[in-house]
Every structure is written in C-alpha cells, then in structure tokens.
Amino acid sequence: MLWQELTVHTTEEAQEMISNLLVEAGAGGVSIEESGTLNKNRDTRYGELYDEPLNDIPEGEAVIKGYYAESVDMDAVVSEVTPRVEELREFGIDPGLAQISWKTVDEEDWAHAWKQYFKPLRVSERLTIKPTWEEYTPASADEKIIEIDPGMAFGTGTHPTTALCLRALEKHIVSGDEVIDVGTGSGILAVGAMLLGAASVLALDLDPVAVESARENVALNRLESAITVKESDLLSLLGGEGAADTAAGEMWPSARPSNTADQEAVPVVAAAADGLGVTLPVRVVVANILAEIIVLFTDDVYRALQPEGIYITSGIYKDKEGLVAEALKSSGFEILEVTREEDWVAFTAGKR
C-alpha cells in the first residue's frame, strides 16, 4: 500500500503543535524526530549511554512527518498546513524555517521500520517502558513494566515530558489513590499510575484515535477493570454528567461531611463513580499536554482535586514555564517542585 509522506523541518519547540496540525489535516500517522546532538543534557541515571549523535538533525530542530492516504490531494494539504504553521509565530511559538515537502512511500518503509529503534527504556527507579515486540527481563521484583504498542498516531512514550510525569507519579502516588489522566494519548501515564499503586484511573482524551489507542494499551497491561478511558475533557466531566451542581471551588458532595443537608446531590456523584471508575474529587490529576492548553483548565483541575491533592503536569517547553507557573498560582495551587529534562519542564503542584 502506498502512502504520501509530508515532511516539516521545524524546531523542537513547535513539534507538538505542528504534529497536531498534521493530524487535523488528515494524517493517518505522525512521526517526530528530534535532534540527536550530544550537546543535550540527557538523563543517564538509569544506565543509558550516549556516545554518538543519534542523527544529523541540527540542535534545537526537529523533523515531523505526517502520512496521508494515496488518494489525498497533497497540494491542498500543503496549502492548508503552511499558513497554520506560520500562524504559530503569533502565539510566541517559533517554527523555524518550517520547510515543507512531500513524497510517495510504501507502507512498509514507515509503518514498521521505526520499531527497530524502540527498545525497552528504564524511565524511573521502578518503571520501564517496553514495546510489545521486544523481550525483556526485569532487573528486580520492584521493577514494573509498562507494555506499549504506540500504533500510528502516538509516540513511544519515551519523550522527556512522559518520563518527567512518570517520575513525579512515582514520587507522589500513594497506594489506593484515585487518579485522573487528562489528555491520556497512548494511556501510558494511566498504566504507570496503576503499576505504582493507584486503585483506579480515569483516562480522558478528546481524540477518538487516542481513546482507542489508550484502550488497547490498557488491555495489553491487563488493567481494563481498573482504568476507565473516555472521550471527554475535564471541563465537560466537571460541568456535565456526574458533576456536582456547585460553584467553582466548592466541595463535591462526596467530600462533604456526612451530615450535609444536600443529600439529593450525593447519589449523582455515586452514580458517576460507576461510569467513571473514580469518585470525585480525586487525590491526583496528571496532564501531559501543551502549555497553551494547560493554562486554560487549571481552575477545573483545582475543583477536581481533594484538599492537599496533587497536580502533575508537563508538555511544557522551557519558554512557557512562567506562563504555566502563573496560571497554577492564580488558581490557588502551591508549586511543590519543578523538574526539567532537556528543554522540557514539569510541575508538581499541591491544592492548598
């Protein structure tokens, strides 16, 4: 089967936004390759060795490829994507040269060849990400394995922001926690949370392809009974089915004292728990998405958390750190920790 491969030479800063643009323009799959320069500060605490550049992409740049069916009019796709890439500059995102080209390729040239480069990767003290096609023996009984088959539309789970979120989850998950994963993508953070001791996870994503991918990876890890995957965003969840009819910042009925006079609202939350797999409010929320999206729903996360609850968020490029920090503080969060890997940032915040 033939596909049409559209290539965008851009910056690492713009890679997430441009990947999303390609999907919105009809791409059936997207691949991202960042610079493999040795000048990057890479995390080697778990034994990784980097003695040669991983590719010849200049430092700070990235190559993004989108794959389209043979019947798609690629001139029309280029015409749609080009101005939207340039528009990123208006939002303070530098796409660099943003060179765009396309060619026809055989499916075997891209759909499977990349798998030879995806090997088991230890991302934290207790978590290792393993592709389904690789054999791997845990180093100890404490090591937990996340099985993943990223499919066409999602990454391998080895991006710095994923590792940052998993390490933060490892530090803060307490046995029995209920967790919400916003923008779950492949479901890797939801699976990681369960392996670290969570009792249940609600994984949300607006992309139906992501929802399907997450469900498949949840099944690979045999966690269907503990992880609920839904096509939704957090705002819809809080304001729609299962949401308490309260003003922002008020406690959910399930968190109120047992002698509350508002007895009629309690069954609504209990019923929601049956369909969502968790009871609001939860103790942990994690979101690995774009900074521009994170700042739009920090108030919603605050509502969804118990007092002293933990919010872990990444997907934040270094130049957006201040923007996210301000949004968290404005919503009432206390920033507990900021961690960094390469050019990416993660926040761990607490509900006061």
Side-chain angles (χ1 to χ4, degrees), residues 100-170:
I100 300 177
S101 61
W102 65 273
K103 65 180 181 180
T104 301
V105 298
D106 189 271
E107 183 174 37
E108 291 298 320
D109 291 341
W110 69 273
H112 302 293
W114 62 273
K115 291 184 177 181
Q116 64 182 303
Y117 303 106
F118 182 18
K119 302 295 182 181
L121 178 66
R122 188 80 171 261
V123 293
S124 72
E125 293 287 345
R126 295 165 56 197
L127 293 175
T128 293
I129 299 170
K130 184 188 86 66
T132 55
W133 55 87
E134 287 284 331
E135 296 293 331
Y136 179 76
T137 302
S140 71
D142 292 332
E143 185 179 358
K144 307 298 182 182
I145 307 300
I146 301 174
E147 294 269 359
I148 186 170
D149 187 346
M152 288 172 51
F154 297 94
T156 58
T158 56
H159 191 274
T161 59
T162 307
L164 288 169
C165 286
L166 287 171
R167 290 170 196 150
L169 285 169
E170 183 172 277

Coordinates of all heavy atoms in Angstrom, one line a residue, residues 100-170:
I100 N 8.6 22.6 4.1 CA 7.6 21.5 3.9 C 7.8 20.9 2.6 O 7.9 21.6 1.5 CB 6.1 22.1 4.0 CG1 5.9 22.7 5.4 CG2 5.1 21.0 3.8 CD1 4.5 23.4 5.6
S101 N 7.8 19.6 2.5 CA 7.9 18.8 1.3 C 7.1 17.5 1.4 O 6.7 17.1 2.5 CB 9.3 18.5 1.0 OG 9.9 17.7 2.0
W102 N 6.8 16.8 0.3 CA 6.1 15.5 0.4 C 6.6 14.6 -0.7 O 7.1 15.0 -1.7 CB 4.6 15.7 0.4 CG 4.0 16.3 -0.9 CD1 3.9 17.6 -1.2 CD2 3.5 15.5 -1.9 NE1 3.3 17.7 -2.4 CE2 3.0 16.5 -2.9 CE3 3.4 14.2 -2.2 CZ2 2.5 16.1 -4.1 CZ3 2.8 13.8 -3.4 CH2 2.3 14.7 -4.3
K103 N 6.4 13.3 -0.5 CA 6.7 12.3 -1.5 C 5.9 11.1 -1.2 O 5.3 10.9 -0.1 CB 8.2 11.9 -1.4 CG 8.6 11.3 -0.1 CD 10.1 10.9 -0.1 CE 10.5 10.2 1.2 NZ 11.9 9.9 1.2
T104 N 5.8 10.1 -2.2 CA 5.1 8.9 -2.0 C 6.0 7.8 -1.5 O 7.1 7.7 -2.0 CB 4.5 8.5 -3.4 OG1 3.6 9.5 -3.8 CG2 3.7 7.2 -3.2
V105 N 5.5 7.0 -0.5 CA 6.3 6.0 0.1 C 5.5 4.7 0.2 O 4.3 4.8 0.3 CB 6.9 6.4 1.5 CG1 7.8 7.6 1.4 CG2 5.8 6.6 2.5
D106 N 6.2 3.6 0.3 CA 5.5 2.3 0.6 C 5.2 2.2 2.1 O 6.1 2.6 2.9 CB 6.3 1.1 0.1 CG 5.6 -0.2 0.1 OD1 5.6 -0.8 1.2 OD2 4.9 -0.5 -0.9
E107 N 4.1 1.6 2.4 CA 3.8 1.5 3.8 C 4.8 0.8 4.7 O 5.1 1.2 5.8 CB 2.4 0.7 4.0 CG 2.0 0.6 5.4 CD 0.6 0.0 5.5 OE1 0.3 -0.9 4.8 OE2 -0.2 0.5 6.4
E108 N 5.5 -0.2 4.1 CA 6.5 -0.9 4.9 C 7.7 -0.1 5.2 O 8.4 -0.3 6.1 CB 7.0 -2.2 4.1 CG 5.9 -3.3 3.9 CD 5.5 -3.8 5.3 OE1 6.4 -4.0 6.1 OE2 4.3 -4.1 5.5
D109 N 7.9 1.0 4.4 CA 9.0 1.9 4.6 C 8.9 2.7 5.9 O 9.9 3.2 6.4 CB 9.2 2.8 3.4 CG 9.6 2.1 2.2 OD1 10.1 1.0 2.3 OD2 9.4 2.7 1.1
W110 N 7.6 2.9 6.4 CA 7.5 3.7 7.6 C 6.7 3.1 8.7 O 6.9 3.4 9.9 CB 6.8 5.1 7.2 CG 5.4 4.9 6.7 CD1 4.9 4.7 5.5 CD2 4.2 5.1 7.6 NE1 3.6 4.6 5.5 CE2 3.1 4.9 6.8 CE3 4.1 5.4 8.9 CZ2 1.8 5.0 7.2 CZ3 2.8 5.4 9.4 CH2 1.7 5.2 8.6
A111 N 5.7 2.2 8.4 CA 4.8 1.7 9.4 C 5.5 0.8 10.4 O 5.1 0.6 11.5 CB 3.7 1.0 8.7
H112 N 6.6 0.1 10.0 CA 7.2 -0.9 10.8 C 8.7 -0.6 11.0 O 9.3 -1.1 12.0 CB 7.0 -2.3 10.3 CG 5.5 -2.6 10.1 ND1 4.7 -2.7 11.2 CD2 4.8 -2.8 9.0 CE1 3.5 -3.0 10.8 NE2 3.5 -3.0 9.5
A113 N 9.4 0.0 10.1 CA 10.8 0.1 10.1 C 11.3 0.8 11.4 O 12.4 0.5 11.9 CB 11.4 0.9 8.9
W114 N 10.5 1.8 11.9 CA 10.9 2.6 13.1 C 11.0 1.7 14.3 O 11.7 2.0 15.3 CB 10.0 3.7 13.3 CG 8.6 3.2 13.6 CD1 7.6 3.0 12.7 CD2 8.0 3.0 14.9 NE1 6.4 2.6 13.3 CE2 6.7 2.6 14.7 CE3 8.5 3.0 16.2 CZ2 5.8 2.2 15.7 CZ3 7.7 2.7 17.2 CH2 6.3 2.3 17.0
K115 N 10.4 0.5 14.3 CA 10.3 -0.3 15.5 C 11.7 -0.8 15.9 O 11.9 -1.1 17.1 CB 9.4 -1.5 15.3 CG 7.9 -1.0 15.2 CD 7.0 -2.3 15.0 CE 5.5 -1.9 15.0 NZ 4.6 -3.0 14.9
Q116 N 12.6 -0.9 15.0 CA 13.9 -1.4 15.4 C 14.7 -0.4 16.3 O 15.6 -0.8 17.0 CB 14.8 -1.6 14.1 CG 15.1 -0.4 13.3 CD 15.9 -0.6 12.0 OE1 16.9 -1.2 12.1 NE2 15.3 -0.3 10.9
Y117 N 14.2 0.8 16.3 CA 14.9 1.8 17.2 C 14.2 2.0 18.6 O 14.7 2.7 19.4 CB 14.9 3.2 16.5 CG 15.6 3.1 15.2 CD1 14.9 3.2 14.0 CD2 17.0 3.0 15.1 CE1 15.5 3.2 12.7 CE2 17.6 2.9 13.8 CZ 16.9 3.0 12.7 OH 17.5 3.0 11.5
F118 N 13.1 1.3 18.8 CA 12.3 1.4 20.0 C 12.6 0.2 20.9 O 12.1 -0.9 20.7 CB 10.8 1.5 19.7 CG 9.9 1.7 20.9 CD1 10.4 2.2 22.1 CD2 8.6 1.5 20.8 CE1 9.6 2.3 23.2 CE2 7.7 1.6 21.9 CZ 8.3 2.1 23.1
K119 N 13.4 0.4 21.9 CA 13.9 -0.6 22.8 C 13.4 -0.4 24.2 O 13.0 0.8 24.5 CB 15.4 -0.7 22.8 CG 16.1 -0.9 21.5 CD 15.7 -2.3 20.9 CE 16.4 -2.5 19.6 NZ 16.0 -3.8 19.0
P120 N 13.3 -1.4 25.1 CA 12.9 -1.1 26.5 C 13.8 0.0 27.1 O 15.0 0.0 26.9 CB 13.2 -2.5 27.1 CG 13.1 -3.5 26.0 CD 13.6 -2.8 24.8
L121 N 13.1 0.8 27.8 CA 13.8 2.0 28.4 C 13.4 2.2 29.9 O 12.2 2.3 30.2 CB 13.4 3.3 27.6 CG 14.0 4.6 28.2 CD1 15.5 4.6 28.0 CD2 13.4 5.8 27.5
R122 N 14.3 2.2 30.8 CA 14.1 2.4 32.2 C 13.9 3.9 32.4 O 14.8 4.7 32.1 CB 15.3 1.9 33.0 CG 15.1 2.0 34.5 CD 14.2 0.8 35.0 NE 14.2 0.7 36.4 CZ 15.0 -0.1 37.1 NH1 15.8 -0.9 36.5 NH2 14.9 -0.2 38.5
V123 N 12.7 4.4 32.8 CA 12.5 5.8 32.9 C 12.5 6.3 34.3 O 12.4 7.5 34.5 CB 11.1 6.2 32.2 CG1 11.2 6.0 30.7 CG2 10.0 5.4 32.8
S124 N 12.4 5.4 35.3 CA 12.5 5.8 36.7 C 13.0 4.7 37.5 O 13.4 3.6 37.0 CB 11.0 6.2 37.2 OG 10.2 5.0 37.3
E125 N 13.0 4.9 38.8 CA 13.5 3.8 39.7 C 12.8 2.5 39.6 O 13.4 1.4 39.6 CB 13.5 4.3 41.2 CG 14.4 5.4 41.5 CD 15.9 5.0 41.6 OE1 16.1 3.8 41.6 OE2 16.7 5.9 41.6
R126 N 11.5 2.6 39.3 CA 10.6 1.4 39.3 C 9.9 1.1 38.0 O 9.3 0.0 37.8 CB 9.6 1.5 40.4 CG 10.1 1.6 41.8 CD 9.1 2.0 42.8 NE 7.9 1.2 42.8 CZ 6.7 1.6 43.3 NH1 6.6 2.8 43.9 NH2 5.7 0.8 43.2
L127 N 10.0 2.0 37.0 CA 9.2 1.9 35.8 C 10.1 1.7 34.6 O 11.1 2.5 34.4 CB 8.3 3.1 35.6 CG 7.2 3.2 36.6 CD1 6.4 4.5 36.4 CD2 6.2 2.0 36.6
T128 N 9.8 0.7 33.7 CA 10.4 0.5 32.4 C 9.3 0.5 31.4 O 8.3 -0.2 31.5 CB 11.2 -0.8 32.4 OG1 12.4 -0.6 33.3 CG2 11.8 -1.0 31.0
I129 N 9.5 1.2 30.3 CA 8.6 1.1 29.1 C 9.2 0.1 28.1 O 10.3 0.2 27.7 CB 8.5 2.5 28.4 CG1 8.0 3.5 29.4 CG2 7.6 2.4 27.2 CD1 8.1 5.0 28.9
K130 N 8.3 -0.8 27.7 CA 8.7 -1.9 26.9 C 7.7 -2.1 25.7 O 6.5 -2.2 25.9 CB 8.8 -3.2 27.6 CG 9.3 -4.4 26.8 CD 9.2 -5.7 27.5 CE 7.8 -6.4 27.3 NZ 7.6 -6.8 25.9
P131 N 8.2 -2.0 24.4 CA 7.4 -2.3 23.3 C 7.0 -3.7 23.3 O 7.7 -4.6 23.7 CB 8.2 -1.9 22.1 CG 9.6 -2.1 22.6 CD 9.6 -1.7 24.0
T132 N 5.8 -4.0 22.8 CA 5.3 -5.4 22.9 C 6.1 -6.4 22.1 O 6.1 -7.6 22.4 CB 3.8 -5.4 22.3 OG1 3.8 -4.9 21.0 CG2 2.9 -4.6 23.2
W133 N 6.8 -5.9 21.1 CA 7.6 -6.9 20.2 C 9.0 -7.2 20.8 O 9.7 -7.9 20.2 CB 7.7 -6.3 18.8 CG 8.3 -4.9 18.7 CD1 9.6 -4.6 18.7 CD2 7.5 -3.7 18.8 NE1 9.7 -3.3 18.6 CE2 8.5 -2.7 18.7 CE3 6.2 -3.4 18.8 CZ2 8.1 -1.3 18.7 CZ3 5.8 -2.0 18.8 CH2 6.8 -1.0 18.7
E134 N 9.4 -6.6 21.9 CA 10.7 -6.8 22.5 C 10.6 -7.7 23.7 O 9.7 -7.6 24.5 CB 11.3 -5.5 22.9 CG 11.8 -4.6 21.7 CD 13.1 -5.1 21.1 OE1 13.9 -5.7 21.8 OE2 13.3 -4.8 19.9
E135 N 11.6 -8.6 23.8 CA 11.7 -9.4 25.0 C 12.5 -8.6 26.1 O 13.5 -7.9 25.7 CB 12.5 -10.7 24.7 CG 11.7 -11.6 23.7 CD 10.5 -12.2 24.3 OE1 10.4 -12.4 25.6 OE2 9.5 -12.4 23.6
Y136 N 12.1 -8.8 27.3 CA 12.8 -8.0 28.4 C 12.6 -8.7 29.7 O 11.4 -9.1 30.0 CB 12.3 -6.6 28.5 CG 13.0 -5.8 29.6 CD1 14.3 -5.3 29.4 CD2 12.3 -5.5 30.7 CE1 14.9 -4.5 30.4 CE2 12.9 -4.7 31.7 CZ 14.2 -4.3 31.5 OH 14.8 -3.5 32.5
T137 N 13.6 -8.9 30.5 CA 13.5 -9.4 31.9 C 13.8 -8.4 32.9 O 14.8 -7.7 32.9 CB 14.5 -10.6 32.0 OG1 14.3 -11.6 31.0 CG2 14.4 -11.2 33.4
P138 N 12.8 -8.1 33.8 CA 13.0 -7.1 34.8 C 14.3 -7.4 35.7 O 14.6 -8.5 35.9 CB 11.8 -7.2 35.7 CG 10.7 -7.8 34.8 CD 11.5 -8.7 33.9
A139 N 14.9 -6.3 36.1 CA 16.2 -6.5 36.8 C 15.9 -6.9 38.3 O 16.8 -7.5 38.9 CB 17.0 -5.1 36.8
S140 N 14.7 -6.6 38.8 CA 14.3 -7.0 40.1 C 12.8 -7.1 40.2 O 12.1 -6.7 39.3 CB 14.9 -5.9 41.2 OG 14.1 -4.7 41.0
A141 N 12.4 -7.6 41.4 CA 10.9 -7.7 41.6 C 10.3 -6.4 41.7 O 9.0 -6.2 41.5 CB 10.7 -8.6 42.8
D142 N 11.0 -5.3 42.1 CA 10.4 -4.0 42.2 C 10.2 -3.3 40.9 O 9.5 -2.3 40.8 CB 11.4 -3.1 43.1 CG 11.4 -3.6 44.5 OD1 10.4 -4.2 45.0 OD2 12.5 -3.4 45.2
E143 N 10.9 -3.7 39.8 CA 10.7 -3.1 38.5 C 9.4 -3.4 37.9 O 9.0 -4.6 37.8 CB 11.9 -3.5 37.6 CG 11.9 -2.7 36.3 CD 13.1 -3.2 35.4 OE1 13.9 -4.0 35.9 OE2 13.2 -2.6 34.3
K144 N 8.7 -2.4 37.5 CA 7.4 -2.6 36.9 C 7.5 -2.3 35.4 O 8.1 -1.3 35.0 CB 6.3 -1.6 37.5 CG 6.2 -1.7 39.0 CD 5.8 -3.1 39.5 CE 5.7 -3.2 41.0 NZ 5.3 -4.5 41.5
I145 N 6.8 -3.1 34.6 CA 6.9 -3.0 33.1 C 5.6 -2.4 32.5 O 4.5 -2.9 32.7 CB 7.2 -4.4 32.5 CG1 8.4 -5.0 33.1 CG2 7.4 -4.2 31.0 CD1 9.7 -4.2 33.0
I146 N 5.8 -1.3 31.8 CA 4.6 -0.8 31.0 C 4.7 -1.3 29.6 O 5.7 -0.9 28.8 CB 4.7 0.8 31.0 CG1 4.6 1.3 32.4 CG2 3.5 1.3 30.2 CD1 4.8 2.9 32.5
E147 N 3.8 -2.1 29.2 CA 3.8 -2.7 27.9 C 3.1 -1.7 27.0 O 2.0 -1.2 27.3 CB 3.0 -4.0 27.8 CG 3.7 -5.1 28.6 CD 4.6 -5.9 27.6 OE1 4.7 -5.6 26.5 OE2 5.2 -6.9 28.2
I148 N 3.6 -1.3 25.8 CA 3.0 -0.4 24.9 C 3.2 -0.7 23.5 O 4.3 -1.2 23.1 CB 3.6 1.1 25.2 CG1 2.8 2.1 24.4 CG2 5.1 1.1 25.0 CD1 3.1 3.5 24.8
D149 N 2.1 -0.5 22.7 CA 2.2 -0.6 21.3 C 1.6 0.8 20.8 O 0.4 1.0 20.7 CB 1.3 -1.7 20.7 CG 1.5 -1.9 19.2 OD1 2.1 -1.0 18.6 OD2 1.1 -2.9 18.7
P150 N 2.5 1.7 20.5 CA 2.1 3.1 20.2 C 1.2 3.3 19.0 O 0.5 4.2 18.8 CB 3.4 3.9 20.0 CG 4.4 2.9 19.7 CD 4.0 1.6 20.4
G151 N 1.2 2.3 18.0 CA 0.4 2.4 16.8 C 0.8 3.6 15.9 O 2.0 4.1 16.0
M152 N -0.1 4.0 15.1 CA 0.3 5.0 14.1 C 0.3 6.5 14.6 O 1.1 7.3 14.2 CB -0.7 5.0 13.0 CG -0.6 3.7 12.1 SD -1.9 3.6 10.9 CE -1.9 5.2 10.1
A153 N -0.6 6.8 15.6 CA -0.8 8.2 15.9 C -0.1 8.7 17.1 O -0.2 9.9 17.4 CB -2.3 8.5 16.0
F154 N 0.6 7.8 17.8 CA 1.2 8.2 19.1 C 2.6 7.8 19.2 O 3.1 6.9 18.6 CB 0.4 7.7 20.3 CG -1.0 8.2 20.2 CD1 -2.0 7.5 19.6 CD2 -1.3 9.5 20.8 CE1 -3.3 8.0 19.5 CE2 -2.6 10.0 20.7 CZ -3.6 9.3 20.1
G155 N 3.4 8.6 20.1 CA 4.8 8.3 20.3 C 5.0 7.1 21.1 O 4.1 6.4 21.5
T156 N 6.3 6.8 21.3 CA 6.7 5.6 22.0 C 6.7 5.7 23.5 O 6.9 4.8 24.2 CB 8.2 5.3 21.6 OG1 9.0 6.4 22.0 CG2 8.3 5.0 20.1
G157 N 6.3 6.9 24.0 CA 6.3 7.1 25.5 C 7.6 7.4 26.1 O 7.7 7.5 27.3
T158 N 8.6 7.7 25.3 CA 9.9 7.9 25.8 C 10.3 9.4 25.7 O 11.4 9.8 25.9 CB 11.0 7.1 25.0 OG1 10.9 7.4 23.6 CG2 10.8 5.6 25.3
H159 N 9.3 10.3 25.3 CA 9.6 11.7 25.3 C 9.9 12.2 26.7 O 9.4 11.7 27.7 CB 8.4 12.4 24.8 CG 8.6 13.9 24.4 ND1 8.5 14.9 25.4 CD2 9.0 14.5 23.3 CE1 8.8 16.0 24.8 NE2 9.1 15.8 23.5
P160 N 10.8 13.2 26.8 CA 11.2 13.7 28.2 C 10.0 14.1 29.0 O 10.0 13.8 30.3 CB 12.0 15.0 27.9 CG 12.6 14.7 26.5 CD 11.6 13.9 25.8
T161 N 8.9 14.6 28.5 CA 7.7 15.0 29.3 C 7.0 13.8 29.9 O 6.5 13.8 31.0 CB 6.7 15.8 28.5 OG1 6.3 15.1 27.4 CG2 7.4 17.1 28.0
T162 N 7.0 12.7 29.2 CA 6.4 11.5 29.7 C 7.2 10.9 30.9 O 6.7 10.6 31.9 CB 6.3 10.4 28.6 OG1 5.7 10.9 27.5 CG2 5.6 9.1 29.1
A163 N 8.6 10.9 30.7 CA 9.4 10.5 31.8 C 9.3 11.4 33.0 O 9.3 10.9 34.1 CB 10.9 10.4 31.3
L164 N 9.2 12.7 32.8 CA 9.1 13.6 33.9 C 7.8 13.3 34.7 O 7.8 13.3 35.9 CB 9.1 15.0 33.4 CG 10.4 15.6 32.9 CD1 10.2 16.9 32.2 CD2 11.4 15.7 34.1
C165 N 6.7 13.1 34.0 CA 5.4 12.8 34.6 C 5.5 11.5 35.4 O 4.9 11.4 36.5 CB 4.3 12.8 33.6 SG 3.8 14.4 33.0
L166 N 6.0 10.4 34.8 CA 6.1 9.1 35.4 C 7.0 9.2 36.7 O 6.6 8.6 37.7 CB 6.7 8.1 34.5 CG 5.8 7.7 33.3 CD1 6.5 6.8 32.3 CD2 4.5 6.9 33.9
R167 N 8.1 10.0 36.7 CA 8.9 10.1 37.9 C 8.1 10.8 39.0 O 8.3 10.5 40.2 CB 10.2 10.8 37.5 CG 11.1 10.0 36.7 CD 12.3 10.8 36.2 NE 12.9 10.1 35.0 CZ 13.6 10.7 34.0 NH1 13.7 12.0 34.0 NH2 14.1 9.9 33.1
A168 N 7.4 11.8 38.6 CA 6.6 12.6 39.6 C 5.5 11.7 40.2 O 5.2 11.7 41.4 CB 6.0 13.8 39.0
L169 N 4.8 10.9 39.3 CA 3.8 10.0 39.8 C 4.5 9.0 40.8 O 3.9 8.6 41.8 CB 3.2 9.2 38.6 CG 2.2 10.0 37.8 CD1 1.8 9.2 36.5 CD2 0.9 10.3 38.6
E170 N 5.6 8.5 40.4 CA 6.3 7.5 41.3 C 6.6 8.1 42.7 O 6.5 7.5 43.7 CB 7.7 7.1 40.7 CG 8.4 6.1 41.4 CD 9.6 5.5 40.7 OE1 9.4 4.6 39.8 OE2 10.7 6.0 40.9

